[in-house]
Amino acid sequence: MITTFAAALNAGLRSALEDDPKVVLMGEDIGRLGGVFRVTDTLQKDFGDRRVIDTPLAESGIVGTAFGMALRGYRPVCEIQFDGFVYPAFDQIVSQVAKIHYRTRGKVRAPLTIRIPFGGGIGSVEHHSESPEAYFAHTAGLRVVSPSNPADAYTMIRQAVALDDPVIFFEPKRRYWDKAEFDPAAAPELPLDRARVCVRGTDVTVVAYGGTVATALAAAKLGAEEGISLEVVDLRSLAPLDVDTIAESVDRTGRLVVVHEAQISGGLGAEIAARITERCFYRLEAPVRRVAGFDIPYPPAKLEKHHLPDPDRILAAVDRTLAA
Amino acid sequence: MPGTTEYPVQLIQPDGRRVHNPEYQALVADIGPEELRRLYEDLVVTRRIDTEAVALARQGQLGLWAPCQGQEAAQVGSARALRPDDYVFGSYRESAVAYCRGVDPSAMTAMWRGVSHSSGDPAAVNMANPAIVVGAQGLHATGYAYAAQLDGAEIATVAYFGDGATSQGDIAEALTFASSWGAPVVFFCQNNHWAISEPVHLQSATPIAHRAVGYGIPAIRVDGNDVLAVLAVTRQAAARARGGGGPSFVEAITYRMGPHTTADDPTRYRTAAETEEWARRDPILRMRLLLEREGLLDADVQRRVDERADEVAHRMRTETITMADPEPSELFDHVYATPHRVLDEQRRDYTAYLADDPACALATAAPAAREEGVRS
C-alpha cells in the first residue's frame, strides 16, 4: 500500500491495539482530534475512550500515570505532543520509567512507548522543533529509536510497543507527509536495534537517522552526479547503537560523516565518532566528521535552513573527508 | 466527608480517653479488645524496627535510614484499613506501612545498606518500591488505580506522601488526573510538619487537605497520632475507592519525632520545646493509656508484644549484618528486560578485566584491529 509516514504510524498503532487488549494510547488531543499531526486519527472512534485516552494537559502526569498503568500490566503508548514539551516529563522518564527494571532486580517491567514528534523543518515556533534525543540515549534503561520512512514507521512502532523495555520513539515530524509504498503483511526486515545500509557506496559512509536520512540520501544523489559514491546508513536505533553495521560500512569505505539535527556538542555524532575510532582506527583514511546543528537553542523559523544539515553541508564535509 | 477539613477527626485523646464521635466510631465498631491489642503490637513492633535500624545505621551497618518514629499510628492505622488486594505506593519513610503489608524488614534494610535498590518483590505484597523523588508515586498510584478500574477490579490504591511532597508538581498533576478520570485512589498525606528543615508552612499557606477540595476531591483531616481515627477515615476512603466513588484525600496530622534521616541534625532547625510537646502526643503512649484505661493491657500482653518486637528486630539485625555484597556482574543485570548489545559488550569486557585476561585491554577493538594493534 502507498501511504504517508503519519498514516503508517496510525496503521501500526491500530495493529498494536488489535493485537493486545492491554495496549492503550494516552496523550493530549489524541482522541476526537486524532492528535495534532493526526497520527491517532479515528483510533478513539474505533477502540473507545478507554483504549485511546485523552489526558489532562500535563506531561509528567501522562508519563507518570502511564507508568502506573504499566505496573498493572498495561502497555501504554504515550504521545508527547511536541519535542519541546517532554521536559516536564523528564523526571518520570529518567528517574522512574528507565530505572524500575534495574531497581527491582527484574521483578517489575515498564513496557512503555513514548512517542515524540521531533526535529525541525516545519517552520514552527519555539519549543516545536527540538532534538532532545541525546538526553534519552544517555539514559540507561531506555531504548531510543527513530524511523526515517513510512515502512519503518509501521514496523518499528509495532516492535516498540511489543518490547518489554521502555522505548523513546522519535518521529521526524517533517517526514509525516512523506509517502512510500510498503507491504504491511511483510515480516519485519530488521530487529528494532539494527541499523540499515540504505544506499551502497564506496567512497564515504554517511550515517544519519530520522529526518536527516532523506537529506543524506539527497546528498548521495547529488554526490553521484559529481562522481562521489556515498554509502548511507540509517541508524534507526540511537540506543543501543548498532556499531557493527556502521563499522562494517566504514571498513569498506574508510571514511565517515555523521549527520544529525541536534546540536553538535555531546550529540550522538560524538558517540559514533568515538566508537568508530576505537573499532576502525586502522581502516580510517580521514578523521570522522560531523554535520550537525549548531550549539544554539533552536532558531526562529526563518533561520532554520542555516541550522539544519542540508545536502550541500553534507557534501562539503564529504569533500573535506576525501581531501584529508 | 466534605466539611471535615477544619477539625481533625479524633477517636482517642492523648491521655487515652475515647472521643465521642458516632460517625467515625461506627467505622471501627468491630475493633474489640483483641484487635486493639493487635494494633498496639503493630505500633510497638514498627517502632522497634525503626530504633533497631537507626542503631544499625549508627554502627555503620546501614548507609542511612529514614526514621518513622512518631508516625506509626498514621502508617499502621491506614495500612490496616487495607485489604491484601489493595495496592500501595509510598516513599522511603513508610517502614510501618511496609511491615503491615508483609515486607520483610531485612528487605527494607537492603536498600539502605546499598545491597540493592529494591525492597523485595512488589507483586508479593502489593506495594511498589519506595519513591525517593517524592511526589512521583502520586502519579503512579493514580495510573495504577485507573488501570484497576479499567480491569473492573474493586480495589483501592493508596499513595502515601508527606507534606513536603505536596509542593511537587507531580502531586498536583496526580490530583488533576485522579479527579478528571474518577480514579479510585486514596491520597494519604502524612503531614509530619517537617520536610528536612523546612516547616510545613513553607509548603502550604492553607491546611493541605484544602488543596484537594480545589480539585473536587473530598478531603478529610485526621489526628495522625490516633491509630483508631486513622483506621476509620482510611476505611472510609478505601471503601469509597472500591465502590467506584473515585478519589479521596486524607491529611493525617502527625510529627516526625526523629531526624529526617540518620544524617540529619534536627536540633539545628527546631526547638526542644516543640519536640517535647509532640512527645506528649506519642501515638504509642496514647494507645497504651487507652488499653490501660480499659483494662486491656496486663503484664502478659505487654511481654508478648515486647517479645514479638524483639524477635522481629533481632531477625532484621542478623539478616542485615550477614548480607553479602552483590557480585560485580550484578552491575549489568536487569538494566533491560531484553538483550542489549552495548551492555552485553560492557559486561563481557569488565568480566574479562576482572578475570585478569591480558586480552581485555583491547577487547573493545574489532578482531581485525586487535591483530594490527598487537603487531604494531
Side-chain angles (χ1 to χ4, degrees):
Chain A
M1 69 191 216
I2 296 176
T3 189
T4 63
F5 195 112
L9 283 169
N10 181 278
L13 291 169
R14 175 178 291 279
S15 142
L17 285 161
E18 282 165 353
D19 287 352
D20 184 348
K22 289 296 185 187
V23 171
V24 291
L25 312 189
M26 305 171 68
E28 298 159 13
D29 308 300
I30 68 167
R32 287 173 68 178
L33 182 67
V36 294
F37 291 106
R38 306 293 183 266
V39 169
T40 55
D41 197 22
T42 70
L43 296 178
Q44 190 183 67
K45 180 169 71 66
D46 295 342
F47 292 91
D49 60 7
R50 293 160 77 89
R51 304 277 319 271
V52 181
I53 304 164
D54 270 324
T55 65
L57 204 156
E59 283 72 18
S60 189
I62 293 169
V63 175
T65 54
F67 179 74
M69 293 184 77
L71 298 186
R72 199 168 163 92
Y74 283 76
R75 305 185 82 86
V77 183
C78 305
E79 176 176 302
I80 302 294
Q81 201 160 59
F82 281 92
D83 35 45
F85 304 167
V86 73
Y87 307 116
F90 196 68
D91 170 57
Q92 285 289 344
I93 296 172
V94 306
S95 301
Q96 310 296 336
V97 172
K99 294 188 174 129
I100 191 67
H101 195 258
Y102 194 67
R103 181 178 295 146
T104 61
R105 310 307 287 152
K107 297 219 167 57
V108 178
R109 292 177 177 188
L112 270 76
T113 303
I114 300 172
R115 297 180 35 241
I116 308 175
F118 87 128
I122 63 166
S124 197
V125 295
E126 223 191 336
H127 309 296
H128 289 65
S129 302
E130 301 193 10
S131 298
E133 59 269 27
Y135 298 124
F136 299 104
H138 192 63
T139 300
L142 299 177
R143 286 168 176 276
V144 184
V145 303
S146 182
S148 69
N149 59 72
D152 270 354
Y154 175 78
T155 307
M156 287 169 70
I157 191 67
R158 293 169 72 218
Q159 290 172 323
V161 175
L163 197 74
D164 277 341
D165 286 309
V167 180
I168 308 294
F169 194 89
F170 279 111
E171 300 169 4
K173 65 174 85 76
R174 66 179 146 134
R175 305 294 172 211
Y176 274 142
W177 303 278
D178 285 4
K179 283 187 179 171
E181 182 165 9
F182 71 93
D183 176 10
E189 188 191 330
L190 290 172
L192 188 60
D193 63 354
R194 276 287 177 192
R196 174 194 288 120
V197 178
C198 302
V199 171
R200 284 279 185 169
T202 53
D203 295 333
V204 180
T205 298
V206 178
V207 169
Y209 56 87
T212 57
V213 173
T215 316
L217 289 171
K221 213 168 171 185
L222 288 172
E225 290 166 16
E226 297 172 14
I228 304 167
S229 170
L230 299 187
E231 176 150 312
V232 177
V233 177
D234 178 358
L235 212 49
R236 299 169 82 252
S237 175
L238 317 190
L241 280 173
D242 180 4
V243 180
D244 292 343
T245 296
I246 308 168
E248 283 159 18
S249 174
V250 172
D251 280 342
R252 289 191 293 271
T253 63
R255 291 178 165 85
L256 175 63
V257 171
V258 187
V259 184
H260 57 67
E261 294 182 29
Q263 72 172 60
I264 190 161
S265 296
L268 262 294
E271 180 65 30
I272 293 166
R275 295 262 174 197
I276 292 304
T277 305
E278 284 176 352
R279 284 276 294 267
C280 307
F281 187 75
Y282 297 101
R283 298 273 186 275
L284 282 168
E285 305 283 349
V288 178
R289 299 209 80 89
R290 291 172 289 166
V291 180
F294 304 112
D295 291 341
I296 57 170
Y298 199 85
K302 296 295 184 194
L303 283 170
E304 66 180 344
K305 66 176 185 293
H306 299 288
H307 177 67
L308 293 175
D310 63 12
D312 288 338
R313 273 176 67 196
I314 294 172
L315 286 172
V318 164
D319 285 344
R320 292 176 70 179
T321 304
L322 286 166
Chain B
M1 221 172 172
T4 51
T5 54
E6 297 305 324
Y7 303 102
V9 176
Q10 191 180 60
L11 293 175
I12 311 171
Q13 297 179 46
D15 62 5
R17 280 180 300 160
R18 300 253 188 181
V19 175
H20 180 62
N21 182 333
E23 185 188 355
Y24 287 95
Q25 271 169 319
L27 287 161
V28 289
D30 59 317
I31 304 297
E34 199 42 49
E35 288 77 16
L36 285 173
R37 290 191 195 105
R38 225 173 285 150
L39 287 169
Y40 177 64
E41 179 188 298
D42 284 342
L43 298 173
V44 172
V45 171
T46 52
R47 175 146 316 169
R48 187 78 174 79
I49 288 173
D50 205 59
T51 50
E52 192 70 28
V54 169
L56 284 165
R58 298 279 181 243
Q59 291 157 12
Q61 295 291 343
L62 302 180
L64 205 65
W65 176 260
C68 85
Q69 188 192 347
Q71 300 177 220
E72 293 91 346
Q75 296 196 11
V76 168
S78 54
R80 288 298 184 211
L82 304 178
R83 299 177 185 166
D85 60 343
D86 291 330
Y87 205 96
V88 171
F89 291 81
S91 79
Y92 45 78
R93 203 183 299 286
E94 271 69 74
S95 52
V97 177
Y99 170 77
C100 293
R101 294 305 285 172
V103 176
D104 189 335
S106 62
M108 299 179 209
T109 55
M111 185 180 89
W112 302 98
R113 189 174 168 86
V115 168
S116 159
H117 284 321
S118 83
S119 302
D121 182 1
V125 289
N126 273 15
M127 181 172 185
N129 270 99
I132 311 267
V133 182
V134 293
Q137 76 273 27
L139 285 169
H140 306 163
T142 302
Y144 191 93
Y146 184 57
Q149 190 180 55
L150 293 181
D151 289 342
E154 293 176 2
I155 66 161
T157 302
V158 185
Y160 285 91
F161 51 92
D163 45 304
T166 64
S167 295
Q168 292 275 12
D170 277 359
I171 292 297
E173 293 190 18
L175 293 169
T176 300
F177 276 66
S179 169
S180 167
W181 286 344
V185 58
V186 177
F187 294 99
F188 192 94
C189 175
Q190 292 171 79
N191 176 356
N192 71 5
H193 285 80
W194 291 94
I196 308 189
S197 71
E198 298 191 342
V200 62
H201 63 74
L202 198 62
Q203 317 295 338
S204 183
T206 64
I208 288 169
H210 284 199
R211 296 201 192 173
V213 177
Y215 289 90
I217 295 176
I220 192 164
R221 301 183 95 203
V222 62
D223 184 331
N225 286 12
D226 174 346
V227 71
L228 217 48
V230 175
L231 182 69
V233 301
T234 313
R235 277 180 167 184
Q236 185 183 48
R240 180 186 158 82
R242 294 186 203 109
S248 44
F249 191 104
V250 177
E251 179 189 356
I253 298 157
T254 182
Y255 193 76
R256 186 237 298 153
M257 292 167 78
H260 165 67
T261 67
T262 45
D264 177 39
D265 174 12
T267 64
R268 292 174 72 102
Y269 53 83
R270 65 188 186 191
T271 63
E274 179 184 311
T275 318
E276 283 158 20
E277 186 189 332
W278 279 94
R280 285 194 289 277
R281 300 180 208 166
D282 185 312
I284 298 182
L285 173 66
R286 185 178 311 194
M287 196 58 176
R288 198 174 71 224
L289 292 173
L290 173 83
L291 292 177
E292 285 173 355
R293 192 177 283 275
E294 300 189 354
L296 303 175
L297 188 67
D298 58 24
D300 276 355
V301 173
Q302 186 63 54
R303 191 172 57 247
R304 194 189 72 199
V305 167
D306 289 342
E307 280 173 4
R308 169 80 181 143
D310 285 344
E311 184 261 318
V312 172
H314 177 73
R315 191 158 45 83
M316 179 175 81
R317 164 170 287 275
T318 309
E319 289 174 6
T320 301
I321 63 179
T322 56
M323 248 173 228
D325 287 353
E327 291 298 318
S329 67
E330 288 184 35
L331 278 172
F332 305 99
D333 288 345
H334 308 301
V335 181
Y336 294 91
T338 50
H340 187 281
R341 56 184 66 240
V342 173
L343 213 51
D344 291 346
E345 183 184 298
Q346 289 176 11
R347 179 201 298 271
R348 197 171 55 240
D349 288 354
Y350 192 62
T351 304
Y353 168 79
L354 290 180
D356 202 20
D357 177 348
C360 70
L362 293 164
T364 52
R370 190 149 59 222
E371 283 164 25
E372 288 193 23
V374 170
R375 274 203 303 272
S376 61

